[in-house]
Amino acid sequence: MSFEPKIVGFLCNWCSYTGADLAGTSRIDYAPNVRIIRVMCCARIDPTFVLKALRDGADGVLICGCHPGDCHYSEGNYKMMRRYPLLKKLLADFGIQEARVRLEWVSASEGQRFADLVNDMTQRVRELGPSPVRMAQATDMAER
Amino acid sequence: MAENKLQIALYWGAACGGCDVAVLDTNEFILDIAAVADIRMWPIATDGKYSDVEAMEDGELDLTIFNGGVRNSENEQIARLLRKKSKMLVAFGACAYMGGIPGLANLTSRDKILDTVYVHNPSIENGGHIVPQPQSRLDGKVLDLPRFYRRVYRLDHVVDVDYYLPGCPPQPGQVKAVILAIVKGELPAKGSVVGASEVALCEDCPRTKGEKKIKRFYRPWEIMADPETCLLEQGILCCGVATRSGCGVRCPNSGIPCRGCYGPLPGVIDQGAKLASAVASIIDSKDPAEIETILEGLPDFTGFAYRYGVASSLLQRSYRQ
Amino acid sequence: MEERKIGVYVCNCGSNIAKMVDCDEVCAYAAQQPGVTTVKSYKYMCSNPGQEMIIADIKADGLDRVVVAACSPRMHEPTFRKALQTAGLNPYFLEMANIREQCSWVHDERNAATEKARALTLGAIRRVTYHQPLERRSVDMCPNVLVIGGGMVGMTAALELADGGSRVYLVERQNCLGGNVARVDLTAPYLDSARDMITALITRTKEHPLIEVLLNSEVNSLEGFVGNFKTVVETIWGDQAATNQYEVGNVVVATGYQEFDASRVTHYGYGKLPNVLTSFEFETMLRAGRVETKEGKSPQYVAIIHCVGSRSKEFHTYCSRVCCMTALKYAREVKSAVPDCYVSDIYVDMHAFGKGHEDFYRRGSEAKTLFLMYAKNDHPVIRKAGPKDDCEMLIEVNEKLSREVIEIPADLVILMVGMESRKDSEAVARLVNISRDKDGWFIESHPKLDPVATTTDGIYIAGACAAPKDIPDSVAQARAAAGRILARTIRGTIDIDAVFAEIDEDKCSGCRVCNELCPYSAIDFNVDKKRSNVISALCKACGACVAACPSGAITARHFTDEQIFAQIEGVLA
């Protein structure tokens, strides 16, 4: 059985979660690998969530928010825009491959875009293989 | 060995010696300790062999203060030994509590470390690429050396810890307070952090705090920082916002930014991630390119944010293949 | 962690979920989870029997948390929250797992879909364990209303509201009321006079004691929340400016549309050939009571071209809805002004969807209008006629039904330019905090079930600003928005969500990292206590401060770290 990645998606209620729902009402087919967690705004997303997801076994983490300028809370996505590059630096220094964590802007009317995004990310993470964090859980404590 | 004297041991794992100096820095208080306690082992200051400890009954020691991280098999072996023989084990200092500065080694690998130290560095001629082995044969005899682990562990990764006393090193006043509390039996629930505040450094820092909006980060040597104003507001990265107080704010009071050695606030499960969230959020820009430029003013954010806490972070080490 | 009694309900949604997700397996998986005491699967959880089942179980089994794995919470969270409330359980002890819109409807392999449904359900089970009881707050509802836009829709809404007793501030940026309908002569299909309609509205609006008309005005800012908005309106006339602040409870956005710029379509020669007009330019001519060329002559041939800027890959892909009937109207009016004129109607499809439209179409063809069909994206081309031709221009049409290339003479060409979102719609959207779709139209709360509300409570949209539409639909929306607002105002108070951020004073160090992060200025700093504080009435619960607080001193109600960590663990287990 080939490897199927488990990806956690953090989606903001007003734009991206609604866009994902629209993909549903439009019956657009996409890969089943993303498990979505709803937050009100992507500004709620603490880099800690991303690291925790990786620690708990996620092969990838997808963060979605409204397009810059369209945030329901006016400026929430700018906070994520600022945190993301710093998070990327941390992840790079911890040896986590870049394609595993991704930030994308998805609006409430972009159901197709969301589906395409999930398919693309799933494929990229599939190619990278299982997360090294997950693979190391067993051995790290057992093998000094 | 008097009957009703406290039996204590102080030991160091992967350590620099600073924590032991911090105990000594309690000055006359040491004499008070010596009056009420038998120090059965303290490598930096007194006698005490491993065999002495092995000969003890389980729980014979009332208290072991263990500083330093777990870097090799000796550290772990003695940690387990001392745990067995002690009623109470305190993880003393940032290394025992969080992995400390040795924990930064987790961002590289054992092979790279051994290579840099023993093979590829400017002051060594080691064409044979010889690195220490756990077992060597010499003149027909076998020499066992502690095995250098693949990564650094915290003390509580290998044994059950009763209390954590943070700091690099813990401030002598806190050391005294904690030891007194132990002697008097006035301690909080097992597993607590002691000798530190429950609030971040900013509460005790005398610098004024105003609007936090950063357009540029500066290295501490790049500007003449105003001594009265918050360092972070001036663009100098200071870990104080995300670090427990209790150290007396020694660093910002001396004009240098806090380095985070007292560890994260209660409930924060990854100090570096939280610092990243806070620092990035206050960047004063809405343009991705400008944000990248501003972040270039933080050349080694990971090293700064996780200076003491790599081994305590959610990811714990680098996974670079 | 105390013992929980969690009830898990897996909805089949008919076959919508059950077709792709094995609901029994999800139930079996849920039943194994610690803390789960009741697990049921049902055809339609949102139905009365479904809700009653939850209510009965809460009472009988002493449930203290409920998970409903079903459609999107954006659909039915309020429904199930109400069920919990009816049963005497705090409504926030509910968590939904979205196994329809985000699972059964988008995956085509049953095993994978079921596994994902299990993971999402487990995430909900783990999360709900940490839910806290929250109480909704009740705030006063100011009965005043702000209406942005003084056209047909704005005035209709304002009058409806004012007749209902609300004080209305009607803000119009131009120096007169009337909007786009005031530029129109007659309306299709009954050929009513737009001028009469609009004049009547303008008169009533100006005379209504409860409507304050603010011409030459724009809304500068809108702050607050539903029932409690403060707005600043700036009025400029000549070189004088004045600002006024008003308190309102709700807002109707009726900013309308602008017409497509025909000069963007080079093959129609607009701007170069003098007798190629847009529909609005033709209306001006009709209102002056004449149909003639630029040179003042009666045209012998008139051609009307549909879908200019609409239904096009190059410009806008959507249909502008009103142009087909308007084109037929022009055919009638030309024939009526110049009976001997040959009228050609060059169209793509005839969208005659509404009441009276088909009859109007049929009468148009009976009046000997020549209808020529062209294929979308295979448009006609207009060129200047030669000296030997008896007309000004020639239009070459790839006529689709006859499959012939037909050359049509024309002295006057009317381009049916489509509707597009106004240039300032982005600024308006930001001002009132609503979203726009890819074409710039304002997005409604639900395209079918909630067409005049938006995702921002208290902000309503009506008319063409939400999408191209004709006068009957626009007026219906104007009245709908007014009705919605009056229904709320009647109660005097409004319940707003209990979800906001809170700062734990004992944990706050006074670092002030959070202070500048709030776009609603909901965080202030107490200089004496040296602590930051969230003003809960202003907090919209975005969570920006929560994530940024380096002490973890700020909690997001209903979106706490604990809850989200648990959900992460659950979806990955």
Side-chain angles (χ1 to χ4, degrees):
Chain A
M1 194 186 72
S2 64
F3 159 65
E4 276 308 316
K6 279 188 209 177
I7 299 171
V8 175
F10 292 99
L11 268 53
C12 74
N13 184 61
W14 305 100
C15 285
S16 44
Y17 192 92
T18 306
D21 275 352
L22 179 62
T25 46
S26 314
R27 308 295 198 277
I28 301 174
D29 208 48
Y30 58 83
N33 303 64
V34 175
R35 285 114 199 253
I36 293 171
I37 290 179
R38 180 171 75 138
V39 290
M40 292 317 279
C41 178
C42 65
R44 175 69 191 90
I45 298 165
D46 188 334
T48 310
F49 297 168
V50 176
L51 300 181
K52 173 137 174 75
L54 289 168
R55 167 70 173 264
D56 286 350
D59 299 298
V61 179
L62 174 63
I63 305 166
C64 294
C66 308
H67 288 267
D70 296 341
C71 176
H72 182 78
Y73 301 97
S74 170
E75 301 189 345
N77 46 10
Y78 292 119
K79 272 91 178 182
M80 176 45 67
M81 188 194 275
R82 294 166 196 163
R83 291 175 196 153
Y84 182 66
L86 202 48
L87 171 63
K88 284 297 227 190
K89 279 193 196 197
L90 293 181
L91 291 168
D93 287 333
F94 276 90
I96 306 289
Q97 297 106 321
E98 225 213 307
R100 292 194 189 275
V101 176
R102 188 162 160 182
L103 170 66
E104 291 283 351
W105 311 122
V106 176
S107 83
S109 58
E110 288 180 313
Q112 183 64 56
R113 173 166 152 65
F114 179 73
D116 293 341
L117 176 58
V118 170
N119 286 337
D120 184 65
M121 182 158 184
T122 303
Q123 181 51 25
R124 287 184 197 224
V125 176
R126 193 183 283 123
E127 282 161 10
L128 286 175
S131 156
V133 182
R134 182 148 67 93
M135 302 307 281
Q137 298 287 9
T139 54
D140 253 28
M141 283 301 138
E143 294 167 19
R144 307 268 199 264
Chain B
M1 192 178 84
E3 265 306 312
N4 41 14
K5 270 194 156 187
L6 270 180
Q7 303 304 304
I8 66 175
L10 296 93
Y11 186 73
W12 52 8
C16 68
C19 283
D20 297 281
V21 172
V23 174
L24 290 169
D25 275 348
T26 54
N27 299 329
E28 316 76 35
F29 181 66
I30 279 295
L31 303 172
D32 296 338
I33 296 180
V36 301
D38 275 336
I39 300 174
R40 304 287 293 275
M41 160 179 272
W42 191 4
I44 205 177
T46 75
D47 212 352
K49 304 275 188 281
Y50 292 158
S51 50
D52 297 339
V53 180
E54 277 154 11
M56 293 175 192
E57 303 279 322
D58 284 359
E60 188 172 317
L61 291 169
D62 293 294
L63 168 68
T64 290
I65 290 176
F66 191 113
N67 74 69
V70 176
R71 172 80 259 191
N72 63 31
S73 55
E74 176 184 10
N75 303 148
E76 180 172 358
Q77 184 189 343
I78 306 306
R80 287 183 186 278
L81 176 65
L82 285 166
R83 172 74 271 187
K84 198 156 170 294
K85 307 295 183 186
S86 309
K87 291 200 192 65
M88 183 186 293
L89 178 63
V90 172
F92 188 100
C95 295
Y97 171 31
M98 295 165 57
I101 289 187
L104 284 169
N106 285 4
L107 292 177
T108 176
S109 72
R110 170 176 58 190
D111 288 346
K112 286 213 185 83
I113 292 172
L114 293 175
D115 186 76
T116 301
V117 173
Y118 292 105
V119 183
H120 289 107
N121 80 59
S123 58
I124 281 206
E125 277 281 352
N126 187 354
H129 292 214
I130 299 168
V131 298
Q133 297 299 319
Q135 205 177 68
S136 315
R137 292 185 176 276
L138 195 63
D139 293 340
K141 299 203 178 68
V142 174
L143 175 66
D144 284 312
L145 287 178
R147 203 171 71 250
F148 190 83
Y149 284 162
R150 285 190 304 175
R151 50 159 284 199
V152 170
Y153 298 88
R154 302 193 310 261
L155 184 60
D156 69 3
H157 275 146
V158 300
V159 292
D160 204 25
V161 168
D162 295 301
Y163 294 98
Y164 303 89
L165 215 182
C168 180
Q171 199 249 344
Q174 296 284 16
V175 175
K176 180 171 170 183
V178 170
I179 294 181
L180 281 174
I182 292 173
V183 166
K184 290 189 207 162
E186 286 167 3
L187 285 164
K190 191 182 134 154
S192 297
V193 170
V194 294
S197 161
E198 302 292 295
V199 179
L201 202 69
C202 304
E203 167 154 271
D204 296 325
C205 178
R207 291 171 183 259
T208 57
K209 292 108 183 148
E211 204 180 74
K212 284 188 160 57
K213 278 177 157 173
I214 301 185
K215 260 288 195 266
R216 191 180 150 177
F217 287 105
Y218 295 96
R219 307 285 284 120
W221 45 261
E222 271 186 292
I223 56 168
M224 290 300 294
D226 174 16
E228 313 286 318
T229 314
C230 168
L231 287 165
L232 187 56
E233 271 162 45
Q234 298 179 66
I236 295 174
L237 189 55
C238 174
C239 203
V241 292
T243 307
R244 279 187 194 257
S245 188
C247 55
V249 199
R250 286 172 297 174
C251 295
N253 279 342
S254 310
I256 62 169
C258 165
R259 297 135 73 86
C261 76
Y262 264 58
L265 278 312
V268 172
I269 62 176
D270 189 309
Q271 187 182 16
K274 249 324 181 176
L275 185 69
S277 191
V279 166
S281 297
I282 57 177
I283 290 175
D284 188 9
S285 172
K286 291 179 178 175
D287 171 60
E290 193 185 8
I291 292 170
E292 284 280 1
T293 307
I294 294 174
L295 285 173
E296 276 162 25
L298 300 173
D300 179 21
F301 183 80
T302 306
F304 187 94
Y306 288 104
R307 182 184 250 113
Y308 299 93
V310 178
S312 282
S313 65
L314 281 166
L315 294 177
Q316 299 201 347
R317 66 167 176 89
S318 166
Y319 296 88
R320 194 167 293 114
Q321 248 88 77
Chain C
M1 187 70 240
E2 320 149 33
E3 285 290 308
R4 288 270 174 254
K5 295 213 179 106
I6 306 173
V8 179
Y9 299 89
V10 182
C11 185
N12 292 16
C13 195
S15 66
N16 280 303
I17 294 177
K19 188 176 61 181
M20 196 47 71
V21 169
D22 185 341
C23 295
D24 290 334
E25 214 198 288
V26 177
C27 284
Y29 186 66
Q32 294 164 18
Q33 303 307 323
V36 174
T37 56
T38 307
V39 180
K40 290 198 177 143
S41 176
Y42 187 62
K43 263 209 307 265
Y44 294 106
M45 284 309 306
C46 58
S47 65
N48 275 335
Q51 292 181 58
E52 272 152 28
M53 174 168 44
I54 297 179
I55 295 170
D57 287 349
I58 291 174
K59 293 182 178 157
D61 300 348
L63 300 179
D64 59 14
R65 298 289 187 281
V66 172
V67 167
V68 179
C71 54
S72 170
R74 302 187 87 253
M75 193 83 212
H76 274 307
E77 190 170 61
T79 312
F80 294 117
R81 276 191 180 163
K82 213 175 281 172
L84 264 68
Q85 194 152 31
T86 308
L89 198 58
N90 188 289
Y92 288 87
F93 284 153
L94 168 82
E95 179 67 12
M96 288 185 74
N98 185 336
I99 61 171
R100 189 183 75 171
E101 280 87 334
Q102 294 180 4
C103 190
S104 70
W105 273 354
V106 288
H107 303 319
D108 60 3
E109 203 275 296
R110 204 171 153 81
N111 285 336
T114 304
E115 193 188 314
K116 178 168 159 176
R118 288 179 3 163
L120 294 174
T121 306
L122 184 58
I125 292 170
R126 294 271 177 93
R127 190 197 204 280
V128 84
T129 317
Y130 295 96
H131 281 200
Q132 296 296 314
L134 301 175
E135 299 304 325
R136 282 170 73 80
R137 307 172 277 163
S138 194
V139 294
D140 286 333
M141 170 66 94
C142 174
N144 304 344
V145 184
L146 171 70
V147 177
I148 307 178
M152 175 139 239
V153 172
M155 288 192 283
T156 304
L159 285 166
E160 191 77 42
L161 287 160
D163 284 346
S166 297
R167 163 159 289 288
V168 179
Y169 303 104
L170 180 58
V171 177
E172 167 55 48
R173 66 166 37 174
Q174 294 191 93
N175 63 358
C176 59
L177 296 170
N180 281 320
V181 176
R183 304 160 70 196
V184 169
D185 182 39
L186 302 176
T187 66
Y190 303 114
L191 302 177
D192 302 317
S193 162
R195 178 180 311 182
D196 290 348
M197 283 195 283
I198 212 80
T199 310
L201 273 179
I202 294 176
T203 311
R204 274 202 66 209
T205 303
K206 282 190 171 155
E207 289 175 358
H208 203 297
L210 285 177
I211 301 181
E212 194 169 325
V213 177
L214 301 154
L215 296 175
N216 297 302
S217 302
E218 283 192 35
V219 178
N220 267 4
S221 68
L222 181 72
E223 283 171 4
F225 53 98
V226 62
N228 299 268
F229 289 112
K230 281 194 175 51
T231 181
V232 172
V233 178
E234 187 179 20
T235 306
I236 301 180
W237 66 109
D239 53 359
Q240 297 205 314
T243 54
N244 283 298
Q245 182 173 283
Y246 303 102
E247 284 175 10
V248 297
N250 291 276
V251 180
V252 179
V253 180
T255 49
Y257 66 94
Q258 67 187 34
E259 72 250 38
F260 174 78
D261 177 5
S263 59
R264 293 172 65 187
V265 185
T266 48
H267 47 261
Y268 289 152
Y270 179 76
K272 301 214 177 70
L273 298 169
N275 286 301
V276 174
L277 307 177
T278 66
S279 39
F280 270 113
E281 285 168 338
F282 189 60
E283 292 285 352
T284 310
M285 204 190 280
L286 289 170
R287 287 173 64 211
R290 42 185 176 82
V291 174
E292 55 191 32
T293 65
K294 266 270 155 45
E295 300 78 34
K297 291 202 299 218
S298 249
Q300 212 185 351
Y301 306 102
V302 172
I304 306 168
I305 304 183
H306 292 222
C307 299
V308 179
S310 309
R311 307 185 74 204
S312 129
K313 272 200 283 255
E314 216 181 332
F315 302 108
H316 299 298
T317 52
Y318 53 80
C319 162
S320 289
R321 205 161 161 104
V322 305
C323 331
C324 282
M325 291 298 109
T326 311
L328 293 177
K329 176 188 80 172
Y330 292 156
R332 283 284 296 272
E333 296 200 73
V334 167
K335 275 291 203 178
S336 148
V338 188
D340 293 330
C341 182
Y342 289 99
V343 180
S344 312
D345 186 297
I346 308 170
Y347 70 102
V348 178
D349 292 288
M350 194 57 76
H351 284 170
F353 58 90
K355 205 165 176 179
H357 289 191
E358 278 289 339
D359 289 338
F360 193 56
Y361 179 22
R362 200 176 19 95
R363 286 204 300 277
S365 60
E366 283 164 3
K368 296 216 171 65
T369 307
L370 181 66
F371 287 103
L372 300 124
M373 184 193 265
Y374 73 94
K376 241 199 300 192
N377 300 309
D378 184 15
H379 49 73
V381 180
I382 307 181
R383 62 175 206 280
K384 200 157 164 32
K388 300 236 182 72
D389 297 311
D390 71 339
C391 57
E392 270 257 355
M393 301 167 274
L394 288 164
I395 309 178
E396 190 176 289
V397 182
N398 269 351
E399 213 285 322
K400 211 169 143 191
L401 295 172
S402 63
R403 298 203 212 144
E404 288 177 13
V405 178
I406 301 184
E407 218 176 46
I408 295 288
D411 295 318
L412 194 64
V413 177
I414 306 167
L415 299 177
M416 301 310 298
V417 286
M419 293 187 177
E420 53 182 28
S421 55
R422 289 176 56 98
K423 257 198 305 278
D424 61 10
S425 61
E426 190 182 342
V428 173
R430 298 244 175 103
L431 181 71
V432 299
N433 196 18
I434 57 181
S435 318
R436 298 185 312 145
D437 67 15
K438 65 171 170 57
D439 298 310
W441 306 113
F442 299 136
I443 298 184
E444 58 277 278
S445 177
H446 190 283
K448 286 198 163 42
L449 303 177
D450 207 356
V452 294
T454 61
T455 49
T456 303
D457 225 1
I459 311 292
Y460 295 87
I461 50 177
C465 63
K469 53 178 68 79
D470 54 15
I471 293 175
D473 290 345
S474 297
V475 168
Q477 288 201 331
R479 294 190 186 275
R484 291 285 296 272
I485 293 173
L486 287 170
R488 278 182 146 182
T489 317
I490 237 176
R491 302 173 82 202
T493 57
I494 184 167
D495 285 341
I496 49 179
D497 221 12
V499 177
F500 50 83
E502 295 175 294
I503 299 183
D504 184 338
E505 221 179 63
D506 293 331
K507 291 186 173 180
C508 175
S509 69
C511 73
R512 305 189 70 176
V513 162
C514 59
N515 285 195
E516 298 302 313
L517 297 179
C518 184
Y520 305 101
S521 308
I523 303 180
D524 65 10
F525 184 68
N526 185 319
V527 180
D528 299 315
K529 285 192 191 170
K530 296 223 188 87
R531 296 276 181 270
S532 296
N533 172 62
V534 171
I535 306 162
S536 61
L538 295 178
C539 172
K540 303 256 195 262
C542 70
C545 60
V546 181
C549 176
S551 296
I554 313 184
T555 314
R557 284 183 161 210
H558 211 59
F559 286 89
T560 66
D561 279 355
E562 250 185 342
Q563 289 161 359
I564 296 176
F565 289 161
Q567 195 175 4
I568 294 172
E569 287 164 22
V571 300
L572 287 170

